[in-house]
Amino acid sequence: MIKKTFFFAVALACMTGCKAFDKSIRPIPFTDVKLTNGFWKERMQTELDVTVPFSVEHGAPAVERFRRCAEFLAGHETELPQTHRFISSDLYKVMEGVAYSLMLRPNEKLETWMDNTISLIAASQKEDGYLYISHICGNPNPDEMGEKPYSYVIHSHELYNMGHLYEAAVAYFAATGKRQLLDVAEKSAKHINKVFFEGDPNYNDGKPVNQAPGHEEIELALCKMYRCTGEKLYLEMARKFLEIRGVTFVPDGEGVNHPQYAQQHLPVKEQREAVGHCVRAIYLYTGMAQVDAITGKADYTEALDAIWEDLVSSRIHITGGLGADRRVEGFGEKYSLPNKEAYDETCAACANVFWNNAMFLAEGDAKYWDIAEISLFNNALAGISLSGDRFFYVNPLEADGEYKFNHGHAGRAEWFGCACCPPNISRLILQTPGYMYSHTDKDIYVTLYAGNEVVVPLRKCKVQIAQQTNYPQDGNVSMTLNPSRETAFALRLRIPTWCRTEEFMPGNLYTFCDKAESGYRICVNGTEVEAPIEKGFAVIDRTWKTGDVVKLELKMPSRHVVADERVKEDAKCHAVTQGPLVYCEETVNEETYTIPYYTWANKGDNSKMRVWISDTTTEEE
Ligand code: FUB
Ligand code: ZN
């Protein structure tokens, strides 16, 4: 049984970003933020009680494939595993979530399940490090996986699977100190380096494959491996996979073979627009941001800044959802943002949180968390039921109760044949406390408000903070600060775009069309203070002493929002927001409710729903 020790706090800091490796702002690991009350405390409870064990149960078919693969490799008679390009990756994400859950709440049964599953995975890995069940067992579907290993890198998902394995391995090592999965991951990474960048006589006729994967993920995962182990090779590999993208291989076709589909149309440094498959794209951008954060260079900053501007000004739904083109699970043309036909995959919203968090840590600008927060509270959280065991893969902004938009369902599903989304939202919720605070030597950033307790280690003192709030239900936040000694430092409080401008979120795509009393107020020890805004943070720079109390009031009236007139689908309509929450109108069993969007489809099957309300409807009422 694991013990919560200093060890995993340090290991986790290394995994998510820490001084030893990163030049950027340092996050407080989620294990160091104790949720005490309110919204996230409740979500976390459901996550630990329901979602994590539920996901483990649904991981069984993928575990069975490893069992058969291990038997096959050992030379025993066995039924061959069914082919699937990436069901292993869904299991790895479940495992990553379990690892995080063990850090928060030790559980012998789950840890045993992890160890047994890891043994099967280790026994399914070839001696040289290769790990992809269908090729190992000799029953690939050549149209999806190629005839031989690494012969169809554009669609096989061989490296995508490994990326998720690496993330799980790093998480489990951080949770327990156990190395078996990390050893599998390191063996795989060294093997991939040899095959892709040096040449291995057993693959590709001995010539380096030198091609970027068709589904990004390994890049950001290699950054985590580097942070965990300090092995420079992994950082170098991440950089090489980024640098060869759109250079050594550019597909030439339509749909999933279009050069933009997997962001292979241009070298990444030259890319300026968010295009192609959304999850692929955002994982790529996250990898680019991670490499910059680690190296302290700005190699990808120009590209990332331009892509971010393009995305927030023309290709994001008001729910923070990404994916206008359901045919390719991808971005559409600028300002093409359908409501009923929107894809807005749960994975894309999760990825949007990961990416914007990485951008914030690199640049210290609150605008990234303004976007992350809207994706998190609306599209991402809609992806999981309040009960924690029913899911949306697809998150439209309108539903008629009949159209089976959600991979064959008109409402939520228990799981999916392609189950990338459920474990993604699960691992995101588990990490959420890690998005609440970050710091430099002399600044504390508060990015996401929640009832919690934390100790922030500044250079000259440790600052204990107790925060109380019902956010996002209301905007009142109270923080008591106890520095270990009187010290001057800056407390930086994120003041969201919806609270200090006439826009709901950065990008000018969604603006308020009503008059309402918005704004914010900050008091320290009962006296209102002027706190200048820097990069979206109100900065309170003073000498702090034990018991200082900061009260932040973010005014949160209900607001009406209109979309940029170039978004044809939202013409003559408005949406309703309150704070970071987008509301929708839902009709279930002839009762109509106005509830936050993230809570829709929790009262019964096949309800009707819409986010954008026609102005005529409101006038008639
Ligand atoms: O291809 C693997 C995953 O399946 C993608 O990330 C999702 O968008 C879904 O297509
Ligand atoms: Zn997904």
Side-chain angles (χ1 to χ4, degrees):
M1 173 53 54
I2 58 166
K3 289 192 187 75
K4 179 170 176 174
T5 59
F6 178 70
F7 159 74
F8 74 62
V10 172
L12 195 69
C14 291
M15 173 184 134
T16 52
C18 82
K19 196 176 177 184
F21 299 113
D22 286 25
K23 313 281 183 289
S24 55
I25 297 167
R26 276 111 56 195
I28 300 288
F30 67 84
T31 45
D32 288 0
V33 181
K34 183 172 172 250
L35 296 173
T36 49
N37 76 304
F39 188 89
W40 288 107
K41 169 100 177 156
E42 285 169 26
R43 294 305 300 216
M44 190 62 83
Q45 199 77 29
T46 309
E47 179 66 28
L48 294 170
D49 292 346
V50 180
T51 313
V52 170
F54 184 83
S55 308
V56 164
E57 272 173 40
H58 282 80
V63 176
E64 174 60 15
R65 282 173 167 84
F66 279 115
R67 196 190 60 71
R68 291 185 191 179
C69 183
E71 293 274 308
F72 177 89
L73 259 190
H76 301 149
E77 283 235 336
T78 179
E79 211 179 316
L80 287 183
Q82 283 173 294
T83 59
H84 194 300
R85 281 181 303 164
F86 53 86
I87 195 172
S88 313
S89 70
D90 303 331
L91 175 67
Y92 298 143
K93 264 187 284 186
V94 169
M95 295 171 75
E96 185 187 342
V98 172
Y100 297 150
S101 79
L102 293 175
M103 297 185 213
L104 298 168
R105 186 200 280 172
N107 179 315
E108 203 163 348
K109 201 168 146 206
L110 286 177
E111 194 173 338
T112 304
W113 176 82
M114 284 290 283
D115 291 339
N116 292 341
T117 306
I118 289 167
S119 296
L120 291 177
I121 294 168
S124 299
Q125 186 174 34
K126 282 183 66 177
E127 198 44 50
D128 66 2
Y130 185 70
L131 181 48
Y132 185 82
I133 292 176
S134 298
H135 277 309
I136 290 175
C137 296
N139 64 341
N141 172 348
D143 293 342
E144 292 188 337
M145 303 163 178
E147 302 276 355
K148 292 191 282 190
Y150 306 127
S151 61
Y152 197 41
V153 172
I154 179 174
H155 289 307
S156 68
H157 286 55
E158 283 155 298
L159 302 194
Y160 168 81
N161 287 341
M162 287 306 96
H164 282 301
L165 169 82
Y166 301 171
E167 290 199 82
V170 167
Y172 196 55
F173 177 67
T176 62
K178 293 181 186 172
R179 284 204 55 99
Q180 193 181 14
L181 195 59
L182 191 58
D183 287 343
V184 170
E186 291 211 69
K187 195 165 161 183
S188 154
K190 287 179 177 140
H191 152 79
I192 288 172
N193 183 58
K194 188 168 177 201
V195 175
F196 277 73
F197 301 122
E198 292 172 355
D200 181 322
N202 296 321
Y203 298 86
N204 197 37
D205 299 326
K207 293 190 289 281
V209 174
N210 204 30
Q211 184 181 328
H215 195 314
E216 300 91 327
E217 155 63 20
I218 197 167
E219 306 81 355
L220 73 89
L222 283 163
C223 291
K224 284 194 178 180
M225 289 269 282
Y226 166 69
R227 283 174 170 142
C228 171
T229 62
E231 172 58 74
K232 287 205 177 75
L233 172 69
Y234 306 143
L235 177 60
E236 199 43 35
M237 286 172 70
R239 219 185 45 74
K240 280 188 189 160
F241 277 125
L242 293 177
E243 292 297 313
I244 63 173
R245 180 160 226 96
V247 175
T248 56
F249 173 79
V250 179
D252 177 18
E254 288 307 316
V256 299
N257 292 314
H258 191 279
Q260 290 189 341
Y261 174 72
Q263 300 75 43
Q264 290 171 305
H265 54 301
L266 283 171
V268 296
K269 280 184 190 151
E270 293 171 28
Q271 299 194 17
R272 295 291 180 269
E273 294 192 349
V275 293
H277 183 272
C278 294
V279 182
R280 283 170 166 80
I282 308 293
Y283 284 178
L284 167 66
Y285 310 149
T286 309
M288 290 159 70
Q290 299 285 17
V291 170
D292 268 358
I294 293 171
T295 58
K297 295 186 184 160
D299 289 345
Y300 304 110
T301 306
E302 199 179 333
L304 288 174
D305 286 353
I307 290 167
W308 189 87
E309 286 296 338
D310 173 64
L311 185 153
V312 302
S313 64
S314 65
R315 299 182 210 255
I316 188 168
H317 277 107
I318 191 170
T319 51
L322 310 175
D325 187 349
R326 58 185 304 123
R327 294 166 309 170
V328 289
E329 305 179 316
F331 294 103
E333 296 297 318
K334 277 174 176 286
Y335 307 105
S336 162
L337 292 161
N339 293 313
K340 197 168 157 197
E341 295 295 327
Y343 198 67
D344 287 12
E345 182 177 340
T346 301
C347 281
C350 296
N352 206 28
V353 177
F354 301 141
W355 176 41
N356 276 283
N357 186 54
M359 294 290 281
F360 159 68
L361 292 173
E363 298 183 19
D365 198 318
K367 68 183 181 184
Y368 298 114
W369 252 98
D370 290 355
I371 293 290
E373 179 176 63
I374 282 163
S375 286
L376 176 62
F377 277 121
N378 300 290
N379 192 138
L381 280 187
I384 184 166
S385 64
L386 297 175
S387 59
D389 58 0
R390 292 293 180 273
F391 302 92
F392 278 143
Y393 193 122
V394 178
N395 295 276
L397 286 81
E398 186 175 332
D400 62 11
E402 287 172 19
Y403 171 45
K404 295 187 174 155
F405 64 84
N406 187 30
H407 283 221
H409 305 264
R412 293 180 180 277
E414 179 174 334
W415 204 252
F416 304 96
C418 162
C420 47
C421 296
N424 224 350
I425 180 62
S426 172
R427 69 176 179 154
L428 170 63
I429 291 174
L430 289 157
Q431 296 173 80
T432 299
Y435 300 136
M436 291 171 182
Y437 299 92
S438 55
H439 67 103
T440 63
D441 285 349
K442 53 182 178 38
D443 302 90
I444 298 175
Y445 292 84
V446 190
T447 27
L448 181 61
Y449 299 106
N452 63 55
E453 286 170 10
V454 70
V455 176
V456 182
L458 299 181
R459 189 160 57 85
K460 292 194 177 155
C461 70
K462 288 190 167 50
V463 186
Q464 183 198 56
I465 301 177
Q467 187 182 152
Q468 288 192 324
T469 179
N470 291 319
Y471 192 86
Q473 267 89 15
D474 71 53
N476 297 319
V477 179
S478 168
M479 283 179 219
T480 305
L481 280 74
N482 291 316
S484 51
R485 61 191 175 93
E486 269 193 32
T487 313
F489 61 85
L491 181 69
R492 295 171 182 264
L493 306 175
R494 184 172 66 89
I495 310 297
T497 294
W498 49 259
C499 188
R500 59 187 173 81
T501 76
E502 284 308 302
E503 291 176 60
F504 175 57
M505 60 166 109
N508 262 319
L509 202 48
Y510 303 105
T511 44
F512 298 122
C513 61
D514 58 3
K515 296 262 174 284
E517 200 201 340
S518 62
Y520 64 97
R521 202 166 158 256
I522 299 172
C523 293
V524 177
N525 299 330
T527 306
E528 186 164 354
V529 294
E530 289 287 327
I533 295 282
E534 287 175 19
K535 290 186 169 181
F537 288 93
V539 183
I540 317 171
D541 198 349
R542 68 197 296 276
T543 299
W544 298 90
K545 60 176 184 351
T546 295
D548 282 341
V549 175
V550 177
K551 295 218 184 225
L552 167 68
E553 183 195 347
L554 298 167
K555 294 201 174 104
M556 242 190 220
S558 167
R559 309 282 321 247
H560 281 197
V561 179
V562 288
D564 184 301
E565 61 187 22
R566 285 166 287 189
V567 183
K568 298 283 175 263
E569 294 87 348
D570 301 337
K572 299 195 171 69
C573 288
H574 65 272
V576 177
T577 62
Q578 187 161 28
L581 299 179
V582 175
Y583 280 69
C584 67
E585 198 181 84
E586 183 184 12
T587 306
V588 199
N589 301 330
E590 299 186 5
E591 290 282 332
T592 298
Y593 306 84
T594 304
I595 52 169
Y597 174 78
Y598 78 85
T599 66
W600 90 275
N602 277 288
K603 295 191 185 65
D605 284 338
N606 304 8
S607 49
K608 294 182 186 165
M609 181 278 294
R610 58 181 181 164
V611 167
W612 290 97
I613 316 287
S614 142
D615 294 336
T616 340
T617 320
T618 319
E619 277 160 26
E620 279 165 10
E621 282 163 9

